[in-house]
Amino acid sequence: MQLLRISDDGFENAFARVVRNRRESDRQVGRDVAAIINEVRERGDDALVDYTARFDNHGLGDDGNWQISAEECRAAHGALHADLREALEMAASRIRAYHEGQLPDDRDYTDDIGMRLGARWNAVDAAGLYVPGGRAAYPSSLLMNAIPAKVAGVHRLVVTTPTPKGEINPLVLAAAHIAGVDEIWRIGGAQAVAALAYGTQRIGKVDVIAGPGNAWVAEAKRQLYGVVGIDMVAGPSEILVIADANNDPEWIAADLLSQAEHDPTSQSILITDSESLARQVEDAIDLALMKLPTAKTAKASWDAHGLILIVDSLDQAPALSDRLAAEHVELMVDDPQVLFDHLRHAGSVFLGRHTPEAVGDYIAGPNHVLPTGRRARFASGLSVLDFMKRTSFIDASEAALAAIGPAAVRLAEAEGLPAHALSISTRLK
């Protein structure tokens, strides 16, 4: 864990290194993924059989091993303990309500020259969702990806998920039932992303791919962007907590560890104006790691990428936060709105001491699929718009074309495109 004070000599260089630090895949991952994509494109199902046996120790030879049926999902949902089933359904209801509010309105109007203009929104025909398997099998991520797609109006929603040794988390199946997933395929990794993008003999291709995954999955999405749409290229998780002295250090420690436990490459940062709180949080993290079942991963993340940054005043925090453009930003202060008003770059912001980031991961309503690696400077969290596209339209009357056509002809001629000019001028009297 690194500790920096804004008043120290060398602070700017040290902080700039933190901002520049890349915790994502290396070139070898890119080469491996390119080879896998090519194999799936050329060999289709046969490549999926080989890679699934190799990486997941699961055979796809028989037709029954390829998919998980709707009946299995329904049975998993019914077998859940009542309180867990109710928790999943509450989460789904809140996620659905929030995302219904994101649906865009069509636009249709006539301007002052009598030209009708506008835009119409439509969902994509098919969307693919990648759902991690094994240790990182998260039903919450399935809900966060599937529900916006369904709210958008996607007709065919396809899930791919690895099933190591043929096993799958029943919570994932229950979440798929709640969300209304149409197909679930037992494949994972970069090969699953390639299958969704190009299609195979069994799996129909999709238009958009969303969902989290490891470095190989993220790299496959990056390489296949353009063949399909993608939600984003997600990297390791991040949390930035901005806290004043009036905090319980155990609460802050738990918040920092909530992201550290995801992966050794995750990053947890505390910005505070209190030396005392900084020391207490550091001690609280050490104590929590002694009891946490995920301590090995969390400690590796905290030791390698953790940072406590002590400022002279929390007025300095928003500018530092914007440079980090973190995935999650918690404002653990008396009046969080004051700081929030000065923040510009963050994936999602959590205001006040009783709003831990983890509540957003599950049940608050906004999406937990968020930009990482400073991409919050230009990207947003997953929304219904990731599963929709906008088509503009123009309806010109004879009078409207007469009003603006000569200017268009002049511009086309200036650009050296005479056929463009002719297609307009031939209509003008």
Side-chain angles (χ1 to χ4, degrees):
M1 190 278 298
Q2 188 177 9
L3 191 147
L4 299 176
R5 292 178 178 82
I6 199 168
S7 58
D8 287 350
D9 292 338
F11 167 80
E12 176 54 36
N13 288 337
F15 184 69
R17 283 194 296 272
V18 173
V19 172
R20 292 194 305 267
N21 181 34
R22 309 305 297 174
R23 296 168 289 114
E24 299 177 354
S25 60
D26 58 21
R27 292 180 181 177
Q28 184 57 51
V29 171
R31 289 189 288 267
D32 292 344
V33 166
I36 291 170
I37 290 172
N38 186 63
E39 279 285 299
V40 173
R41 187 178 186 184
E42 295 295 324
R43 298 176 56 228
D45 286 348
D46 289 341
L48 296 181
V49 170
D50 292 345
Y51 284 124
T52 302
R54 176 180 169 188
F55 295 129
D56 296 332
N57 195 24
H58 173 59
L60 291 176
D62 298 330
D63 285 344
N65 289 338
W66 282 78
Q67 280 189 270
I68 296 167
S69 68
E71 290 74 19
E72 290 175 88
C73 295
R74 190 180 303 111
H77 176 262
L80 289 180
H81 194 281
D83 62 348
L84 187 52
R85 183 169 57 248
E86 290 170 7
L88 274 178
E89 290 174 349
M90 178 187 289
S93 176
R94 293 186 62 83
I95 294 165
R96 188 175 297 108
Y98 182 86
H99 289 82
E100 284 173 348
Q102 295 177 335
L103 285 168
D105 293 326
D106 292 344
R107 191 179 184 198
D108 191 340
Y109 70 99
T110 301
D111 69 10
D112 56 1
I113 65 166
M115 180 173 284
R116 182 182 172 214
L117 305 167
R120 184 175 63 191
W121 288 89
N122 283 299
V124 300
D125 291 332
L129 305 181
Y130 188 89
V131 176
R135 184 182 71 176
Y138 301 136
S140 59
S141 286
L142 191 149
L143 295 178
M144 290 286 184
N145 283 271
I147 289 174
K150 283 295 184 179
V151 169
V154 174
H155 295 302
R156 175 173 166 257
L157 186 56
V158 185
V159 164
T160 61
T161 185
T163 55
K165 299 181 180 179
E167 298 176 358
I168 187 167
N169 187 334
L171 276 175
V172 170
L173 301 188
H177 172 75
I178 292 171
V181 170
D182 300 299
E183 304 169 23
I184 304 179
W185 296 88
R186 291 175 171 270
I187 56 171
Q191 61 272 21
V193 180
L196 291 170
Y198 289 116
T200 69
Q201 293 88 337
R202 283 182 170 85
I203 302 172
K205 64 183 178 181
V206 302
D207 305 301
V208 170
I209 299 174
N214 61 20
W216 285 264
V217 170
E219 178 62 17
K221 288 167 66 178
R222 188 191 68 79
Q223 291 190 24
L224 287 165
Y225 175 66
V227 178
V228 290
I230 63 170
D231 53 347
M232 65 188 73
V233 179
S237 297
E238 306 156 352
I239 187 169
L240 167 62
V241 180
I242 300 174
D244 60 23
N246 301 323
N247 277 282
D248 185 326
E250 293 184 6
W251 291 15
I252 304 301
D255 293 352
L256 294 167
L257 292 174
S258 71
Q259 296 308 295
E261 71 178 352
H262 271 301
D263 192 272
T265 58
S266 298
Q267 185 168 57
S268 302
I269 297 175
L270 169 64
I271 296 180
T272 182
D273 59 351
S274 169
E275 288 264 1
S276 175
L277 180 72
R279 289 193 299 271
Q280 291 176 62
V281 168
E282 191 173 0
D283 290 341
I285 286 176
D286 290 340
L287 289 173
L289 287 172
M290 295 172 65
K291 305 173 185 176
L292 203 63
T294 52
K296 182 177 179 181
T297 300
K299 186 176 188 306
S301 166
W302 180 245
D303 288 348
H305 304 292
L307 171 66
I308 294 178
L309 200 163
I310 299 174
V311 293
D312 299 327
S313 166
L314 287 184
D315 292 341
Q316 298 166 314
L320 298 171
S321 176
D322 280 344
R323 290 175 65 184
L324 292 164
E327 178 186 15
H328 308 105
V329 177
E330 288 187 357
L331 304 180
M332 301 291 109
V333 296
D334 290 332
D335 189 352
Q337 188 65 44
V338 172
L339 288 179
F340 186 42
D341 287 343
H342 291 87
L343 282 180
R344 297 185 64 238
H345 307 308
S348 189
V349 180
F350 304 82
L351 286 74
R353 306 190 206 283
H354 289 88
T355 317
E357 182 278 330
V359 79
D361 280 341
Y362 297 106
I363 209 162
N367 212 286
H368 77 197
V369 180
L370 300 166
T372 62
R374 298 186 65 235
R375 297 183 185 94
R377 293 172 297 125
F378 55 81
S380 307
L382 187 73
S383 78
V384 296
L385 298 184
D386 290 288
F387 301 99
M388 303 182 79
K389 67 276 190 321
R390 183 183 65 250
T391 302
S392 62
F393 62 83
I394 304 167
D395 181 356
S397 65
E398 183 177 357
L401 185 63
I404 63 173
V409 169
R410 183 70 186 90
L411 291 171
E413 290 172 343
E415 290 187 349
L417 298 171
H420 280 64
L422 182 62
S423 76
I424 300 169
S425 64
T426 193
R427 290 173 165 79
L428 300 176
K429 293 181 179 180

